[in-house]
Amino acid sequence: MEVDAWLPRAAAAHPRRIALGTLQYAALLAAAQRAARRLAALGVAQGDHVAIALPAGEDFAVTLHACLLLGAVATPLDPRLDADERVRRAAACVLTVDGPLAGPEDAGAQLRETHDLDAPAAVIHTSGTSADARPITLTYGNWLWSALGSAVALGSDPDERWLCCLPVAHVGGLSILLRSAIAGTTAILHERFDTGSVLAALRDPAGPTLVSLVPATLTRLLDAGLREPPALRWALLGGAAIPDALLERAAQAGVPVAPTYGMTEACSQVLTNGAPLFCTRVTIDDAGEIVVTGPTVSPTIGPVLRTGDRGRREAGGRIAVLGRADDLIISGGENVAPERVEAVLEAHPAVAEAAVHGRPDERWGQAVVATVVPRDGESVDAQALIEHCREHLAPWEVPKAITVADALPRTPSGKLLRRAL
């Protein structure tokens, strides 16, 4: 099935609306068309893979849309990757763009007026939290259904302004650019998360109506004084387990939070506020694993996505995500969910962040251990934290040891890198 090409359609409907940065839609389209003809002059043809190793910004967006106008497959790469990893991820690409496109244009290049929903649009690498990053092909149909499902879940505002402070090489960041183009709305693009910059944007009465965050970045914003952001409709919060204490802090600060659960393999959002996107079917199998089907699932995976995450269906049909199945700790024959222990630790007033994992142990099989990051100006007493856990957890869930660190290992998108603990 073919649909109107997204950027030309948005530019025709809203030529003077800001697309991102200072670029209006008409200007973004013109820049992307020039860039597409420059790609064609470099030998890029429909179906070719093009690596984009640029920081988040106008040049990235122009190159991305240039690829879509040519029918080339965009492969965003985080510019912070080391040289060997960049080469590995770009192995299937005919070209790597690592600066603004310049040079001659191919005047005869055929720019697409439609998108084939079955055709590949982008290759996105998974975040690599539980294994090495894998390339996932996402079609135009995957992106379109994800955008429509997200709009139904969050509501749709013709004056939407969605702040992206996630890496655009990951599905959560890239989806903001593509959803905005599909809807003809505004994306606000930050090169990386910076507490001061994001806080200033959210405090602006003409600031973002939506923002995508992970628990660690929301915590930093609340610690910095975020309160009642005037234009914000939703802070879409995902990428990791969300402690109840963080949701309570956000509610007290007047920050509207929409918890979300998603995966690269399902083109970002799967659940929002515990409910599947309207186009997505989510079930819990007999082993407690979350299983996803529907038009957002990548053809790389096939019709059924077995997520490897544990879930539970709650009253009213909402789905609670319990964590990675392979993160489950078995200590003394008892199952311990690290997310539950982390939530208890992060409820302590001295703790900003916590990470829990199993350590091989001759007596217990696995011993529950924790790493914590103190709040600014606070000191942490490990034994006091263990006593705090004893008050709120079963005996087998209480950490056998707690260490203090300045920071937890995280991916560029802010997800906890538990395998690095």
Side-chain angles (χ1 to χ4, degrees):
M1 180 179 175
E2 303 255 342
V3 298
D4 289 343
W6 300 329
L7 183 58
R9 181 177 181 274
H14 310 290
R16 298 190 181 281
R17 179 175 289 169
I18 294 294
L20 73 152
T22 60
L23 285 178
Q24 297 175 339
Y25 267 104
L28 176 58
L29 175 60
Q33 289 170 332
R34 289 192 298 272
R37 290 190 287 266
R38 286 170 178 152
L39 287 176
L42 292 168
V44 177
Q46 181 176 335
D48 285 343
H49 289 225
V50 175
I52 308 175
L54 293 168
E58 292 182 4
D59 289 334
F60 178 93
V62 167
T63 306
L64 169 69
H65 286 293
C67 290
L68 304 188
L69 290 174
L70 272 181
V73 182
T75 302
L77 301 180
D78 193 320
R80 294 170 292 180
L81 292 172
D82 64 52
D84 290 343
E85 182 64 12
R86 187 187 299 190
V87 168
R88 186 184 75 82
R89 295 192 187 191
C93 299
V94 301
L95 178 71
T96 295
V97 178
D98 56 8
L101 283 165
E105 301 178 23
D106 180 354
Q110 297 297 308
L111 305 189
R112 296 191 61 81
E113 297 180 355
T114 62
H115 295 317
D116 178 356
L117 295 186
D118 293 325
V123 172
I124 309 297
H125 286 80
T126 59
S127 59
T129 53
S130 57
D132 289 339
R134 296 183 299 121
I136 302 295
T137 298
L138 296 171
T139 66
Y140 288 92
N142 293 148
W143 290 108
L144 180 60
W145 280 105
S146 179
L148 295 173
S150 176
V152 171
L154 299 173
S156 181
D157 182 346
D159 294 320
E160 204 79 87
R161 300 177 298 279
W162 198 325
L163 172 56
C164 174
C165 49
L166 300 174
V168 289
H170 292 276
V171 72
L174 192 66
S175 65
I176 295 171
L177 290 183
L178 292 178
R179 288 174 191 158
S180 298
I182 289 168
T185 54
T186 299
I188 303 168
L189 201 53
H190 287 197
E191 184 172 332
R192 62 180 58 86
F193 178 84
D194 175 77
T195 302
S197 299
V198 175
L199 185 63
L202 291 171
R203 283 174 167 170
D204 185 345
T209 57
L210 295 172
V211 63
S212 292
L213 299 169
V214 298
T217 54
L218 176 58
T219 297
R220 290 175 203 166
L221 290 168
L222 292 170
D223 288 346
L226 178 63
R227 189 170 189 84
E228 298 179 354
L232 192 69
R233 295 196 303 110
W234 289 112
L236 196 65
L237 188 64
I242 306 170
D244 289 341
L246 179 57
L247 294 176
E248 291 170 7
R249 280 191 72 195
Q252 290 169 3
V255 179
V257 171
T260 186
Y261 161 76
M263 304 184 75
T264 306
E265 297 88 339
C267 204
S268 196
Q269 286 181 65
V270 172
L271 303 168
T272 300
N273 283 318
L277 298 196
F278 82 94
C279 56
T280 300
R281 185 164 188 262
V282 179
T283 57
I284 310 294
D285 72 7
D286 292 342
E289 184 178 6
I290 298 172
V291 180
V292 181
T293 56
T296 62
V297 176
S298 162
T300 303
I301 303 302
V304 177
L305 170 58
R306 304 195 67 84
T307 65
D309 290 318
R310 297 172 291 113
R312 179 182 64 237
R313 194 171 293 277
E314 299 186 326
R318 301 282 175 173
I319 294 174
V321 180
L322 304 178
R324 295 290 299 171
D326 50 11
D327 287 341
L328 194 68
I329 302 165
I330 303 176
S331 185
E334 299 284 356
N335 290 344
V336 179
E339 297 84 2
R340 171 172 162 76
V341 184
E342 288 162 358
V344 168
L345 287 166
E346 289 173 351
H348 191 281
V351 175
E353 300 176 84
V356 171
H357 66 287
R359 183 179 66 195
D361 185 272
E362 289 185 4
R363 179 180 180 186
W364 302 103
Q366 286 182 299
V368 179
V369 295
T371 303
V372 300
V373 177
R375 291 194 184 280
D376 289 343
E378 297 285 348
S379 60
V380 169
D381 182 305
Q383 190 56 45
L385 281 183
I386 290 173
E387 293 301 323
H388 167 76
C389 289
R390 287 193 176 118
E391 294 176 10
H392 300 280
L393 294 170
W396 57 86
E397 295 175 310
V398 175
K400 300 291 191 292
I402 295 176
T403 58
V404 179
D406 292 333
L408 299 178
R410 294 190 179 277
T411 67
S413 59
K415 294 182 179 180
L416 176 65
L417 200 57
R418 200 183 299 278
R419 64 190 174 99
L421 291 168

